[in-house]
Amino acid sequence: MKTVLGVLTLTLLHIHAIAQFNYRATVKDAETNEALPNANVILGNQLNITDLEGHVEFHNLKKGTYTLKITFIGYENYETSVSIDGDVSKDITLAPSPFMAEEVIVSATRASAETPVTFTNVNKESIDKQNFGQDLPMLLNFTPSLVTTSDAGAGIGYTGLRIRGSDATRINVAINGVPLNDSESQGVFWVDIPDIASSTDNIQIQRGVGTSTNGAGAFGGSINLQTNTRQAKPYVDFINAVGSYNTRRHTLGAGTGLFKDHWTVDGRFSLIESDGYIDRATSDLKSYYLAGGYYGKKTMIKALAFGGKERTYQSWYGTPEAVLNNDTDGIEAVIANNGLNAAQAENMRTAGRTFNWYLYDNQVDDYLQNHYQLHLSQQLNDEITFNLSGHYTKGKGFYEQYKYDDDYENYGLPNIINGTDTTFSTDLIRKRWLDNDFYGLTYALNYESGDWKVILGGAANQYDGKHFGELIGGDVTSNFTPGYRYYQSSATKIDFNTFIKAQYQLSEKLNVFADLQYRNIDYKSSGTDSDLQGIDIDADFDFFNPKFGAFYQLSASDALYASYAVANREPVRSDFIDSPVSPKSERLQNVELGYRKITGKAQYSINGYYMKYKDQLILTGEVNDVGANVRVNTPNSYRTGIELQAAWVFSQYLTWNVNATFSENKIDNYTEITYDFGANWDEEIPLPVPEYFENSDIAFSPNIIAGSNLTVKPLKNFELSLLSKYVGDQYLDNTSNEDRKIAAYFVNDIRLSYAVHAKYFKQLTFSLLVNNVLGEEYSSNGYTFGYQAGTYKVRENYYYPQAPTNFMASMSIKF
């Protein structure tokens, strides 16, 4: 830390008072000479956007040579060197691209600069800087209102994220406009597509309801990835990385560039392995990406195949609070309450913060997922463009578990009777399988003419899934044959949606926006679940989701926006299984009000939001037998807050990006249910014991979230960044009980990179990421549950501790 402060101090002393100049440019179409508003202009490390007349200005520039980059959809990228030794004023023309822009694939579900919603764009440069092989949530950790979690404690394996306190099942995720969320759980398992960041060109994160998307409704946010776009020249990229906990990452990517004037082929293969911070929380991940495309001026066809194979040792049950606190008496109580055998008990007594419940060598999650996409984009005339995408995802895999002394009746098996002795339980090994197919079409018709921008879009998708469990081994006295299938169910989900978005320029400064979506879901399931209970579901939902807003350009550099949106969502499979009563669909009304200002050296934004829920399915704080969160409807609840963002370019040596969210997340009235098993554990059906709470905090919803990226460039090719993240207290359930919470944490990382350019390669980059440099002891996730037997009451908290100081070192070479 002292080194970082020293470098910052020396850098600031180096910035002395010298003459400063201004750079002004007007960006126009090279053929029509018309102004190009909202073009992205980067001069050195300063970003600005052209105004309605195509003008852009940069002030207080020091004498020197700068790189100027200009990008605008539908035009060739512009890049040149600019010498500044006085005030400069230039007219710059951009040539229309001879190829259709790939952005048309995602434009139907994305917000533009004038759309009145709250969003953050992450470009490829930012993705690549932070990509050391960790799962994608960890790369997005420093974006506003976002909190990440990691079961294994080091960001590789099962990871997750929350936006504005909303869990992953409420965040719509799409790749090239195609839904990624699992149809039944609505979660996203990033471990199934490891290193997808290496094949991602850009990401847009919308917070709140946002604009209409395909798939599940966004109740906290949406994340839209666009995969790598067309490269003009051939390339080869090779990345090797090593780090703490025996982590290794190897990525090889290559592309043909444009050949025969129209064609490209790109590919990538990645291997990532890690032992994890938690004991035995290993990850063995393989992934690939292959794309081929045809590019014409009015036609684009692109085919993609990508996916991954993951094998991870299970660590989804966390660590008991008593183990984290080294509480001897508490540890013994947990051992007694959970009936642990001698080996498990010894493991709990000695493991400390890295404790893992599982000791069986093959206690793994093993899953393969392949995605196939075909995109066709056609410009019908100067005003209309059509996009049609077909997709298919195949997923199949299992998790294997060793179960100690488990009852035969849990598997539909009779007890073993030997004379007068009866055996009720045994040790056994089971596998629980998923086998699913997801396929469908998405479409969009884009119309742009004069003051109108209109998009008609939507999707029709179907999911077919099978769930089944098998016993594959056990005690020699067991009364089953390996391969015995003890439960099986199947499900079909048809999801159809269509939307129309319209934006109209009322005046030079004011545009209005409307977005109307209809969504229908037909979900059917039959058979038995893992607890041998019937899972017969026949649910049909019709939702209408309107959105309205306005965007006002106050001046060339600042703007106001406001929007009102309604979203509805269906319950997920586990809601039907775990909820004691039939779950209801939920409804959200979302108001957003924001202000943005962009100048050459600074960007600022402030956004206020209010999210009012009806029958919100909130996390209870408990997890089910596969580590998934249990949810229940609550009649009335809300989230409200202020999001602040700022970015400053103090000089060519020093930049700072910072964001902070201050929020309140409340439930009007909440009922917590615990269960009484009877004084002698004699209740076949435990008795529910309710307790009532008013104006309580929503679980896993910190009132303060803040992120910072302070970057120093003391040399042209050397960059040093201090990355900081603060997350306030999070309650494990909805009772606002101080004894059931994740304590606030403040974590700092240091990232260094040095790039070398030479004749024989484009770029050789050495990078180092030191995570949690100050060694903060913290947990990013957890759960809690309680029960009682007469007057004997049990309450246990579990946490997912994160790694202390650890590192990743990387070397990448580009040809």
Side-chain angles (χ1 to χ4, degrees):
M1 193 66 184
K2 292 180 179 178
T3 302
V4 175
L5 294 174
V7 171
L8 290 176
T9 302
L10 290 173
T11 301
L12 292 171
L13 290 173
H14 181 70
I15 303 170
H16 49 84
I18 58 175
Q20 296 183 329
F21 307 104
N22 300 319
Y23 179 86
R24 299 179 178 87
T26 302
V27 182
K28 299 180 179 180
D29 183 303
E31 295 181 358
T32 65
N33 208 40
E34 293 181 354
L36 297 178
N38 296 308
N40 290 311
V41 183
I42 300 175
L43 183 63
N45 57 5
Q46 299 184 44
L47 168 67
N48 211 332
I49 297 174
T50 56
D51 63 18
L52 295 174
E53 297 178 345
H55 300 319
V56 66
E57 296 185 3
F58 296 89
H59 302 288
N60 302 320
L61 299 171
K62 295 179 175 62
K63 181 179 179 180
T65 301
Y66 297 79
T67 298
L68 176 68
K69 298 179 183 179
I70 304 176
T71 59
F72 193 75
I73 294 177
Y75 289 80
E76 291 286 278
N77 292 344
Y78 179 91
E79 183 172 341
T80 189
S81 293
V82 176
S83 295
I84 302 292
D85 56 6
D87 291 343
V88 177
S89 183
K90 289 258 187 181
D91 286 341
I92 298 173
T93 58
L94 300 187
S97 173
F99 307 106
M100 174 171 283
E102 286 189 77
E103 286 80 3
V104 70
I105 294 175
V106 297
S107 61
T109 55
R110 284 203 170 182
S112 66
E114 305 89 6
T115 307
V117 299
T118 310
F119 65 91
T120 298
N121 290 328
V122 184
N123 61 27
K124 188 165 185 62
E125 181 182 8
S126 298
I127 296 169
D128 289 346
K129 282 183 179 180
Q130 194 65 13
N131 184 13
F132 287 79
Q134 294 176 307
D135 291 352
L136 189 71
M138 314 311 289
L139 276 64
L140 303 179
N141 184 44
F142 301 98
T143 57
S145 298
L146 191 144
V147 175
T148 59
T149 65
S150 170
D151 286 7
I156 295 175
Y158 271 89
T159 61
L161 55 82
R162 300 187 178 101
I163 297 177
R164 291 183 178 174
S166 295
D167 68 277
T169 66
R170 315 163 73 73
I171 299 168
N172 176 284
V173 181
I175 298 181
N176 299 323
V178 175
L180 183 64
N181 299 69
D182 177 78
S183 292
E184 288 195 281
S185 71
Q186 293 186 8
V188 172
F189 305 99
W190 297 101
V191 71
D192 294 337
I193 48 172
D195 205 20
I196 188 62
S198 291
S199 299
T200 297
D201 183 78
N202 60 81
I203 303 171
Q204 184 174 92
I205 305 170
Q206 296 183 22
R207 299 188 293 281
V209 171
T211 61
S212 287
T213 57
N214 299 315
F219 258 47
S222 60
I223 300 175
N224 193 316
L225 285 73
Q226 181 177 5
T227 54
N228 286 342
T229 55
R230 171 181 53 84
Q231 299 294 310
K233 297 180 180 180
Y235 67 91
V236 175
D237 297 338
F238 187 51
I239 304 172
N240 272 311
V242 296
S244 301
Y245 315 115
N246 203 26
T247 301
R248 287 95 57 208
R249 180 253 184 129
H250 312 288
T251 298
L252 176 63
T256 63
L258 196 67
F259 66 94
K260 292 189 177 180
D261 297 328
H262 293 288
W263 299 89
T264 66
V265 177
D266 300 272
R268 172 190 56 82
F269 182 72
S270 299
L271 296 172
I272 300 173
E273 296 177 328
S274 178
D275 290 347
Y277 167 62
I278 301 299
D279 290 341
R280 297 174 300 285
T282 56
S283 297
D284 183 359
L285 315 177
K286 301 177 178 67
S287 70
Y288 71 95
Y289 171 88
L290 182 65
Y294 169 85
Y295 299 85
K297 184 166 181 62
K298 295 188 177 182
T299 304
M300 183 184 66
I301 302 173
K302 189 169 185 178
L304 302 97
F306 60 92
K309 173 71 163 62
E310 63 90 2
R311 187 177 175 88
T312 56
Y313 196 97
Q314 293 176 25
S315 55
W316 62 32
Y317 276 148
T319 302
E321 182 176 27
V323 175
L324 283 184
N325 295 336
N326 196 26
D327 176 1
T328 302
D329 292 339
I331 291 173
E332 296 306 317
V334 174
I335 290 171
N337 292 334
N338 289 273
L340 302 188
N341 63 28
Q344 291 174 311
E346 181 61 20
N347 179 39
M348 182 172 288
R349 294 184 183 109
T350 60
R353 293 183 64 83
T354 63
F355 170 77
N356 189 344
W357 285 94
Y358 304 116
L359 298 175
Y360 171 56
D361 288 342
N362 213 36
Q363 194 97 4
V364 296
D365 183 89
D366 191 307
Y367 196 76
L368 173 69
Q369 190 175 86
N370 293 311
H371 300 254
Y372 308 96
Q373 299 181 358
L374 178 63
H375 302 276
L376 167 65
S377 298
Q378 179 67 45
Q379 184 178 344
L380 302 179
N381 55 40
D382 291 341
E383 298 172 338
I384 300 175
T385 302
F386 178 68
N387 189 77
L388 180 67
S389 300
H391 65 88
Y392 171 63
T393 300
K394 176 63 181 179
K396 186 174 183 178
F398 63 87
Y399 60 90
E400 185 172 323
Q401 292 178 303
Y402 191 100
K403 300 293 291 182
Y404 294 98
D405 196 30
D406 213 354
D407 292 342
Y408 286 119
E409 67 176 358
N410 293 336
Y411 302 91
L413 295 169
N415 298 324
I416 296 177
I417 300 176
N418 186 8
T420 59
D421 296 326
T422 301
T423 303
F424 298 93
S425 60
T426 187
D427 295 346
L428 53 82
I429 304 169
R430 69 188 187 190
K431 279 187 178 180
R432 292 182 174 180
W433 284 86
L434 291 174
D435 185 355
N436 45 59
D437 302 270
F438 178 60
Y439 48 92
L441 295 171
T442 69
Y443 67 91
L445 191 67
N446 297 267
Y447 170 82
E448 187 170 345
S449 178
D451 295 327
W452 283 98
K453 294 180 181 178
V454 181
I455 299 173
L456 174 66
N461 302 308
Q462 180 164 329
Y463 167 89
D464 299 311
K466 299 181 181 68
H467 304 256
F468 57 93
E470 298 175 340
L471 301 183
I472 64 171
D475 189 276
V476 293
T477 62
S478 297
N479 57 356
F480 61 85
T481 301
Y484 164 70
R485 186 169 293 190
Y486 66 97
Y487 77 90
Q488 179 171 306
S489 67
S490 60
T492 300
K493 184 175 184 179
I494 299 173
D495 188 332
F496 168 80
N497 86 93
T498 187
F499 57 81
I500 184 168
K501 303 177 183 181
Q503 185 171 303
Y504 179 68
Q505 197 74 34
L506 278 174
S507 67
E508 183 180 352
K509 293 188 174 184
L510 176 64
N511 76 65
V512 292
F513 173 82
D515 179 348
L516 307 176
Q517 183 195 52
Y518 166 73
R519 184 165 176 254
N520 172 261
I521 303 98
D522 182 14
Y523 178 52
K524 293 180 173 61
S525 182
S526 61
T528 56
D529 191 39
S530 59
D531 60 0
L532 305 188
Q533 299 299 309
I535 178 172
D536 296 315
I537 303 169
D538 187 353
D540 188 83
F541 300 92
D542 288 283
F543 297 136
F544 176 59
N545 302 315
K547 308 165 187 71
F548 305 97
F551 184 91
Y552 188 77
Q553 192 75 45
L554 293 168
S555 70
S557 61
D558 54 352
L560 285 169
Y561 66 89
S563 64
Y564 169 78
V566 174
N568 295 270
R569 283 173 54 96
E570 71 278 15
V572 303
R573 181 179 188 269
S574 61
D575 295 327
F576 288 101
I577 296 172
D578 297 329
S579 178
V581 297
S582 180
K584 305 174 185 177
S585 63
E586 48 187 337
R587 180 180 176 86
L588 166 63
Q589 300 178 70
N590 179 203
V591 175
E592 304 276 332
L593 178 62
Y595 168 78
R596 304 172 188 156
K597 183 177 182 64
I598 300 177
T599 64
K601 285 185 174 290
Q603 298 181 43
Y604 311 93
S605 70
I606 179 171
N607 179 73
Y609 64 89
Y610 177 69
M611 304 167 71
K612 181 180 180 181
Y613 298 89
K614 178 67 174 176
D615 295 322
Q616 181 181 186
L617 282 160
I618 59 170
L619 308 184
T620 66
E622 297 183 69
V623 296
N624 62 19
D625 64 344
V626 294
N629 293 294
V630 176
R631 311 192 307 178
V632 296
N633 290 111
T634 189
N636 297 296
S637 55
Y638 69 88
R639 302 180 189 273
T640 187
I642 295 176
E643 296 167 322
L644 307 172
Q645 286 181 264
W648 294 278
V649 179
F650 296 108
S651 74
Q652 59 184 313
Y653 308 106
L654 181 64
T655 60
W656 189 25
N657 293 272
V658 64
N659 61 75
T661 301
F662 303 93
S663 65
E664 184 176 82
N665 311 275
K666 293 290 186 178
I667 306 170
D668 288 358
N669 295 282
Y670 177 70
T671 303
E672 181 187 56
I673 303 292
T674 55
Y675 289 91
D676 187 346
F677 290 83
N680 299 308
W681 302 90
D682 51 5
E683 294 285 351
E684 288 190 18
I685 301 177
L687 299 175
V689 180
E691 187 173 358
Y692 304 99
F693 300 87
E694 293 185 357
N695 198 36
S696 59
D697 292 273
I698 302 176
F700 304 103
S701 301
N703 292 338
I704 303 176
I705 305 171
S708 169
N709 180 348
L710 183 64
T711 297
V712 178
K713 290 185 176 181
L715 302 173
K716 181 179 180 182
N717 296 325
F718 177 70
E719 180 177 294
L720 184 153
S721 297
L722 175 63
L723 308 169
S724 305
K725 186 76 174 187
Y726 177 82
V727 178
D729 289 343
Q730 303 173 67
Y731 291 104
L732 292 174
D733 62 14
N734 304 288
T735 65
S736 297
N737 190 322
E738 292 294 318
D739 293 329
R740 309 175 198 170
K741 74 177 183 181
I742 303 169
Y745 55 88
F746 180 50
V747 180
N748 294 272
D749 305 337
I750 290 180
R751 188 184 68 213
L752 303 92
S753 66
Y754 180 74
V756 178
H757 302 272
K759 178 180 179 181
Y760 303 105
F761 49 81
K762 293 179 183 177
Q763 183 171 300
L764 174 63
T765 304
F766 299 93
S767 302
L768 176 67
L769 178 65
V770 183
N771 297 296
N772 195 3
V773 66
L774 299 181
E776 175 90 350
E777 287 194 355
Y778 74 105
S779 297
S780 65
N781 202 6
Y783 63 94
T784 184
F785 71 91
Y787 60 89
Q788 64 185 75
T791 58
Y792 179 69
K793 297 182 180 181
V794 173
R795 167 62 59 178
E796 292 184 359
N797 298 331
Y798 293 81
Y799 296 92
Y800 296 82
Q802 301 302 287
T805 304
N806 63 97
F807 78 94
M808 283 292 294
S810 172
M811 182 191 75
S812 68
I813 185 167
K814 299 178 182 290
F815 295 96

